[in-house]
Amino acid sequence: MSATANPEKSGNINRPPLVTVITPLWNENDAIPALVAALRRLFQDTSADWEWLAVDDGSSDDTAARVRGEMRGMARARLVCLTRNFGQQAAYRAGLDHAAGDAVVFLDADLQDPPEVIPEMLARWREGARLVVGRRRSRPERGVRGLLLRGFHVVFGRLTNNVMPHDSGTFGLMDRLVVEELKRLPERNLFLPALRCWLGYKQAEVWYDRHERAGAPKQTYAKLFNYAWNGITSFSEIPLRFISWLGVTLCVFATLCAALIFAQRVGQWFGWWTDRLVVGFTTQTIGIFFLGGVQLLCIGIVGEYLARIYREIKGRPHYLVERVEEAHDRDVLKHE
Ligand code: UDP
Ligand code: MG
């Protein structure tokens, strides 16, 4: 793909660039007023035209109705309603498929990632970066959640040779070119924060402090774990290699034990060794349980990769759209 849709980069300076802000929403009823107020402030920046693309990820509360109400009076806003809850990454993917912008911004609804940083991202984009990644100088999550999130970034960085900047998340801006290339990737196991970096386009970073979340996290532990494991399995084969290393280590250990016992037996025959080596019930039981556990763990890791291959082969869509609504008339445009 050679052309870029960025009018400034393509020489078309007659109109300001259109920037789409994609927000996935799952039961975010309470977050919407503050989100919309922040977006309205952002949209006062006249150096760009703005589009808000809200993706309702199968909310069971009034999220869609609230967005519908708030969209009124916005120059350009759209609501994409998915048929059910497909998860945050699928919702962002739906946003990518529907965004019209020359640049596209990923913004969570909870304002943990401040929209005030977006103009700085736009500036980096105008300077030529195809991808601008938000990096967290600090994050508010404490306790077990904070520990797990920090731990994930360290492990993920090591396993993937730092495919994406440390402590970055979904918050970021992409050029239309990056969006089109992302859309061309066929994979079902989406981990967009790393995939967009993996494409390799010129990248810039913007630092920010992550805010406290208003309301309960919508990414539950189960969803976060799945998301993290998807990320690791899509970008690293080291867990599989770990099984081989473990197998080699255990074989070496067993061989050393066998050699030791053999040496003792030989020593006893020749009378060099008088002590008897007693391998008792406890040692054997621990050994059997330990090896049983290791084997199940290894089968589990292989199974996780297999499950992902299975998911890819089935080729089901990332999401299904119930309807798309537009700001100006709030009419249903199309059914998909
Ligand atoms: N979200 C979603 N579908 C889900 C879970 C979350 O669309 O199944 C949205 C949620 O409404 C929010 C964003 O994804 O806009 C991030 O969720 P959250 O703040 O809970 O995640 P975290 O900050 O822990 O990444
Ligand atoms: Mg959040």
Side-chain angles (χ1 to χ4, degrees):
M1 200 168 296
S2 58
T4 170
N6 179 347
E8 294 183 353
K9 286 178 187 162
S10 59
N12 175 8
I13 49 166
N14 295 332
R15 67 171 177 90
L18 178 66
V19 180
T20 303
V21 179
I22 302 176
T23 313
L25 300 145
W26 186 46
N27 296 339
E28 294 286 8
N29 214 346
D30 301 337
I32 290 173
L35 170 69
V36 170
L39 286 176
R40 285 188 196 280
R41 277 197 300 278
L42 173 69
F43 294 175
Q44 281 166 7
D45 178 343
T46 50
S47 67
D49 282 340
W50 298 92
E51 175 188 46
W52 182 36
L53 188 62
V55 182
D56 178 19
D57 186 19
S59 300
S60 52
D61 65 1
D62 295 335
T63 295
R66 280 216 168 193
V67 169
R68 209 168 284 136
E70 297 284 3
M71 271 167 32
R72 255 175 277 162
M74 277 194 184
R76 226 175 151 139
R78 262 185 303 162
L79 169 64
V80 177
C81 295
L82 306 187
T83 53
R84 64 167 172 85
N85 179 238
F86 283 90
Q88 186 213 34
Q89 294 293 295
Y92 270 125
R93 174 64 213 248
L96 285 180
D97 290 338
H98 289 83
D102 303 309
V104 170
V105 176
F106 281 171
L107 177 73
D108 284 352
D110 55 7
L111 297 183
Q112 281 198 281
D113 306 317
E116 297 78 49
V117 177
I118 295 174
E120 206 183 324
M121 291 182 169
L122 271 179
R124 297 288 95 74
W125 176 60
R126 287 196 169 99
E127 285 162 17
R130 296 278 190 192
L131 170 66
V132 188
V133 177
R135 286 190 75 178
R136 298 151 187 166
R137 207 180 290 124
S138 64
R139 62 155 71 239
E141 289 91 354
R142 305 260 171 271
V144 180
R145 197 178 174 90
L147 207 70
L148 287 176
L149 288 169
R150 281 184 192 88
F152 167 72
H153 280 280
V154 174
V155 172
F156 186 78
R158 291 209 106 143
L159 291 182
T160 61
N161 211 4
N162 295 314
V163 63
M164 68 181 199
H166 190 74
D167 265 327
S168 63
T170 39
F171 188 40
L173 179 146
M174 282 174 273
D175 184 69
R176 165 61 42 191
L177 185 62
V178 179
V179 173
E180 291 305 324
E181 289 302 330
L182 268 184
K183 280 160 56 177
R184 266 159 36 97
L185 295 178
E187 57 197 87
R188 307 286 132 183
N189 297 298
L190 278 185
F191 192 72
L192 290 167
L195 267 183
R196 64 187 180 188
C197 298
W198 175 86
L199 292 173
Y201 288 108
K202 187 169 184 241
Q203 189 175 314
E205 293 167 2
V206 167
W207 288 89
Y208 70 100
D209 293 303
R210 200 162 205 233
H211 296 173
E212 213 53 85
R213 191 188 210 289
K218 300 301 176 311
Q219 288 281 65
T220 54
Y221 278 113
K223 282 188 177 202
L224 270 184
F225 184 78
N226 202 26
Y227 178 53
W229 194 224
N230 257 349
I232 290 173
T233 48
S234 339
F235 284 92
S236 173
E237 282 145 31
I238 290 181
L240 287 175
R241 218 164 296 148
F242 160 81
I243 296 175
S244 312
W245 293 335
L246 194 64
V248 170
T249 312
L250 286 175
C251 284
V252 169
F253 178 71
T255 311
L256 287 178
C257 287
L260 181 70
I261 290 169
F262 181 72
Q264 283 176 334
R265 286 278 148 85
V266 171
Q268 278 169 354
W269 287 334
F270 289 99
W272 304 326
W273 198 301
T274 48
D275 291 344
R276 280 199 62 201
L277 181 85
V278 181
V279 180
F281 176 76
T282 317
T283 328
Q284 286 185 2
T285 313
I286 292 175
I288 288 169
F289 276 106
F290 176 72
L291 284 181
V294 166
Q295 281 170 357
L296 285 182
L297 175 78
C298 296
I299 293 173
I301 294 176
V302 176
E304 290 286 342
Y305 279 88
L306 197 65
R308 276 157 181 80
I309 296 172
Y310 181 49
R311 206 177 297 157
E312 297 294 341
I313 285 177
K314 281 189 290 187
R316 289 181 189 161
H318 294 101
Y319 60 87
L320 284 174
V321 175
E322 171 104 40
R323 59 184 188 280
V324 181
E325 301 180 27
E326 203 109 14
H328 58 271
D329 54 13
R330 293 163 51 223
D331 282 338
V332 176
L333 284 182
K334 54 181 172 177
H335 289 270
E336 294 179 31

